[in-house]
Amino acid sequence: MSTDGEAVPMAEQYPEFHLRLPNGGPVARGRQTDEMGTNGSRKFFVGLGQPVRKDVAASFAARATSAFTKRELLISDGVIKPSDTWPGCLETTEDVVFNSPSEAASVLTGSSLNGWAAWKTEDGRPLGDYMPGASWGPNRAWLVRGSNVTGLDLVRRMWLPKERVTLAAPRLRQGVEQGVSKEQVRTFVEEDYESTATYSQKQQLTEEVHAFLSRMKEGDTICTISDGRLYVGQITGEVQQIESEDRRSNLRRPVSWQDASHPYDELPQELKQKLSSQHDVVELTSVQAVIDGLGLTDEELADEAEAIERDPSVELPAITVRRDLELPEPTDALASELLVHDRDWLGEVRDLLWDDKQLVLYGPPGTGKTYLALKLAEFLGGGPEQVKLVQFHPSYAYEDFIEGIRPKEDPQTREVAFRLTAGPLRDLADLANKEGNRHIPHFLIIDEINRANLAKVFGELYFLLEYRDMGVQLPYSGDDFALPPNLFVIGTMNTADRSIALVDAAMRRRFAFVELSPRTEPTSGLLRRWLTSQERDSEPADLLDALNSRIEEPDFRIGPSYLMKKGVYRDGGLERTWRTKILPLLEEHHYGEGVDIEKRYGLAALRRSLPEPTA
């Protein structure tokens, strides 16, 4: 019986479901019913004599207002009162029918709870698996847009007051059932929209209708945006297909909306990236932990979690995603390892990365740009696992860098076919964006960044580098893609290969530029510091300084790394390195000018120019 004395039709296809109260409390029992509530939710039955938690979570009233109000009413009416059976608990004194499994679970546990996951059979299967047309597996999160449906804002006009979410699909035939396959939906859309939608519109509508009909299920989280605010709710029932008068809300699902909404501008960046998608239905499961924590403190989240049977040693995902992204401050030990003259210089590079997310180390050959980029990235990221290096070259393309259709061999048939393949940027972005990774810095090192056609290689990445809180749709896969805030880019640029002046304004605006030049620190004194650390004579540093003083163009001065190798200090090694590596660079630089390279830059000439050593 229900609380008003009317019989409740029990659904024979549903077993009895169990719910354990917080902190190892007693187990309550209930059953799903076939009776529909006013907004299309299936009601849930809890019999008399079932245990109820005495206390409530601090966030209960704000997060589940209707369930909180229902609980208070049941207590005031004596339907829930202190229990003689379970000391320290309350219990039901008569049968109670709730509007949904979530309302029942929330009232009994005193906390906002997903009833489709919380109510379980004796062997541990959740209620959600038993709902008509529902797919098995964990619940998901979704964005459904309703603020501009044929010129109207359905969120405030219909969704919030009538507790529902809708999808237009005005020409879709009647009788399409929940749980229909995507191929069936595609066939219906192709036939029903044959002359009224373009190919891409029909593709997108197929995805949206299939998600709404078959992928969403009871207990899923629903988000929508209206007037610059995010509203969050929970799906509480099955799909209804109705011929609405205005043809704007033909497909409907009942939703229990939270009373509180959240200003869009104050949302976490990773959530805003997902919400920036222009589709009407977007899956948000990858940021569900972020959504779950909106408006709650860590203490309130931990308080709510007491109502859920879980491993107490595992940190809550909604708390994990709040860990702040940090770049560690460079240490004296790092400065000593890299032979940098001043730790503050490394600190400035770190600050540039933190502020701009991407920078370029530029300078002549041999100035240690790649080595410094790798070592700095490994230190800031916590290890080599978070660092990926790619090298640009003239034939490097967008398809190599982000994603494209590439030939791949089937490992079983050995046949070669063209398949969609992710590039290194997409791979690293996906790794950085995984749950549990978003507070860990990841670094992409682009060596010789100026040797490729940057506008061609970067494509829409130019936009994403500047607008990190937004996403774009990739042309090959059609996926929504954004650069995670914990992905940093360090490029290296050889100014002797192509002048930095040739870098376009778009590149300059998006990257900070840090010079590594033999005329300035930390490069100018690097070789001398290295020789001291190796307990070697300082003559190679004196010779390099003398050489660079004779080179007028800064972009063609010689970096110290040519003389920081063991082979240079074997018998005849310095002369051999000078003859085979340094002089050929200068010959190319002065090609056609008639300069006597040996007379001007040779070791003998440079040694004669050095001052006599003092006794």
Side-chain angles (χ1 to χ4, degrees):
M1 298 288 290
S2 67
T3 54
D4 57 9
E6 294 182 1
V8 179
M10 294 297 174
E12 295 181 359
Q13 70 268 31
Y14 299 121
E16 183 179 71
F17 293 97
H18 299 170
L19 174 72
R20 182 172 294 280
L21 299 193
N23 303 316
V27 174
R29 291 170 170 79
R31 287 187 179 274
Q32 183 70 301
T33 77
D34 278 333
E35 183 182 359
M36 293 292 185
T38 55
N39 71 339
S41 302
R42 287 178 183 257
K43 295 185 176 182
F44 194 85
F45 172 86
V46 175
L48 64 86
Q50 298 305 310
V52 180
R53 180 186 179 185
K54 183 177 181 180
D55 302 319
V56 299
S59 61
F60 185 32
R63 291 264 283 181
T65 305
S66 62
F68 176 81
T69 303
K70 177 85 170 181
R71 177 185 166 105
E72 292 294 299
L73 180 62
L74 292 174
I75 291 174
S76 67
D77 289 346
V79 179
I80 294 178
K81 67 177 186 179
S83 173
D84 295 328
T85 307
W86 296 283
C89 290
L90 308 177
E91 68 173 83
T92 57
T93 61
E94 58 184 85
D95 297 343
V96 185
V97 177
F98 294 93
N99 289 326
S100 69
S102 284
E103 185 182 65
S106 297
V107 168
L108 267 58
T109 62
S111 178
S112 176
L113 211 58
N114 185 337
W116 285 268
W119 289 103
K120 296 179 180 179
T121 60
E122 193 170 7
D123 60 358
R125 283 183 57 188
L127 169 61
D129 286 356
Y130 289 85
M131 300 309 295
S135 57
W136 287 16
N139 289 101
R140 300 181 174 95
W142 305 89
L143 165 70
V144 182
R145 297 191 183 279
S147 60
N148 187 22
V149 180
T150 321
L152 288 179
D153 185 344
L154 295 183
V155 177
R156 291 183 173 277
R157 181 182 179 185
M158 175 192 294
W159 291 9
L160 298 178
K162 295 186 177 181
E163 295 186 292
R164 66 179 57 157
V165 64
T166 66
L167 190 67
R171 300 187 180 278
L172 188 67
R173 68 190 64 183
Q174 289 291 310
V176 182
E177 297 180 352
Q178 181 171 310
V180 64
S181 71
K182 185 184 290 188
E183 285 305 312
Q184 289 175 304
V185 173
R186 181 175 288 110
T187 300
F188 297 154
V189 170
E190 287 288 343
E191 294 176 356
D192 298 345
Y193 289 80
E194 182 178 5
S195 60
T196 58
T198 65
Y199 169 74
S200 61
Q201 288 173 332
K202 286 185 281 190
Q203 271 193 317
Q204 189 57 44
L205 185 59
T206 296
E207 296 292 333
E208 292 170 355
V209 170
H210 178 254
F212 200 89
L213 285 171
S214 302
R215 298 188 64 208
M216 293 181 188
K217 65 179 183 180
E218 289 87 336
D220 279 5
T221 299
I222 285 288
C223 297
T224 195
I225 302 170
S226 176
D227 289 340
R229 302 190 71 86
L230 178 73
Y231 295 86
V232 181
Q234 184 184 87
I235 295 178
T236 59
E238 303 150 39
V239 171
Q240 295 176 306
Q241 189 178 18
I242 298 171
E243 287 197 41
S244 59
E245 295 179 2
D246 55 10
R247 304 179 71 87
R248 293 188 180 98
S249 55
N250 299 63
L251 298 176
R252 303 179 178 183
R253 278 185 177 271
V255 171
S256 174
W257 294 102
Q258 296 176 13
D259 284 354
S261 60
H262 311 278
Y264 182 87
D265 292 340
E266 298 177 11
L267 297 177
Q269 182 176 352
E270 57 265 44
L271 178 54
K272 286 200 285 189
Q273 284 181 337
K274 288 288 186 180
L275 296 175
S276 68
S277 170
Q278 297 304 303
H279 303 312
D280 286 341
V281 179
V282 181
E283 186 170 353
L284 302 177
T285 306
S286 63
V287 290
Q288 181 155 11
V290 178
I291 300 169
D292 291 342
L294 290 175
L296 297 181
T297 65
D298 289 356
E299 292 74 17
E300 288 172 331
L301 284 170
D303 190 21
E304 279 195 0
E306 290 185 1
I308 307 171
E309 285 190 85
R310 64 182 188 89
D311 184 350
S313 65
V314 178
E315 188 175 46
L316 291 171
I319 294 178
T320 301
V321 298
R322 291 181 174 181
R323 291 182 185 171
D324 291 332
L325 171 66
E326 294 181 354
L327 289 182
E329 293 289 344
T331 62
D332 289 331
L334 178 65
S336 177
E337 178 188 355
L338 298 178
L339 297 174
V340 171
H341 66 298
D342 187 353
R343 186 187 66 181
D344 289 343
W345 184 87
L346 289 173
E348 182 178 88
V349 175
R350 178 259 178 211
D351 291 344
L352 287 171
L353 273 171
W354 181 254
D355 292 338
D356 298 329
K357 302 294 186 185
Q358 48 264 346
L359 65 78
V360 169
L361 302 175
Y362 71 96
T367 48
K369 299 178 291 295
T370 304
Y371 177 82
L372 178 62
L374 284 169
K375 289 296 183 181
L376 188 60
E378 288 178 7
F379 173 82
L380 296 175
E385 298 83 4
Q386 281 74 248
V387 181
K388 192 178 191 71
L389 184 142
V390 297
Q391 187 173 59
F392 280 5
H393 48 77
S395 62
Y396 206 76
Y398 173 96
E399 291 77 9
D400 301 301
F401 188 48
I402 300 179
E403 69 174 17
I405 307 297
R406 315 295 294 177
K408 290 286 183 180
E409 183 182 67
D410 188 300
Q412 295 181 344
T413 65
R414 316 299 294 181
E415 295 180 352
V416 176
F418 284 89
R419 295 182 174 86
L420 181 64
T421 305
L425 174 70
R426 181 78 193 269
D427 282 339
L428 189 61
D430 290 345
L431 176 64
N433 213 20
K434 280 186 177 179
E435 280 190 282
N437 278 358
R438 294 177 186 139
H439 65 287
I440 301 173
H442 289 68
F443 288 83
L444 178 66
I445 310 296
I446 306 177
D447 200 28
E448 305 285 6
I449 192 171
N450 57 324
R451 295 192 66 214
N453 183 333
L454 294 181
K456 182 178 180 181
V457 172
F458 277 36
E460 59 272 1
L461 186 61
Y462 263 157
F463 173 81
L464 296 178
L465 287 170
E466 186 168 7
Y467 298 98
R468 286 289 189 115
D469 60 346
M470 299 185 70
V472 297
Q473 187 176 32
L474 296 177
Y476 282 94
S477 64
D479 292 344
D480 292 319
F481 179 73
L483 287 178
N486 59 327
L487 177 58
F488 299 85
V489 181
I490 303 178
T492 69
M493 180 179 292
N494 185 343
T495 53
D497 180 55
R498 182 185 296 178
S499 172
I500 192 172
L502 296 180
V503 177
D504 63 20
M507 182 79 172
R508 287 179 177 277
R509 191 171 69 248
R510 288 161 174 82
F511 284 77
F513 285 79
V514 177
E515 183 180 21
L516 293 179
S517 170
R519 62 183 174 177
T520 59
E521 288 286 15
T523 310
S524 60
L526 180 60
L527 179 57
R528 200 171 298 278
R529 289 190 291 272
W530 183 81
L531 291 169
T532 300
S533 70
Q534 299 293 312
E535 298 182 347
R536 297 185 184 276
D537 185 77
S538 64
E539 186 198 33
D542 297 333
L543 290 169
L544 185 64
D545 288 345
L547 172 67
N548 283 326
S549 69
R550 299 185 177 197
I551 302 173
E552 295 179 357
E553 295 188 46
D555 287 344
F556 290 92
R557 289 175 180 170
I558 304 302
S561 65
Y562 289 102
L563 303 180
M564 294 173 64
K565 300 175 182 178
K566 292 181 179 180
V568 175
Y569 300 94
R570 293 197 297 264
D571 288 342
L574 179 61
E575 288 75 10
R576 184 167 53 252
T577 298
W578 214 271
R579 184 180 67 254
T580 61
K581 295 186 178 180
I582 293 177
L583 292 183
L585 288 173
L586 297 170
E587 286 176 356
E588 181 180 0
H589 173 47
H590 289 290
Y591 180 77
E593 297 179 6
V595 175
D596 188 330
I597 298 299
E598 184 65 38
K599 183 177 180 179
R600 185 170 179 177
Y601 300 119
L603 273 180
L606 293 173
R607 281 180 170 138
R608 286 194 298 270
S609 70
L610 297 179
E612 292 291 333
T614 57

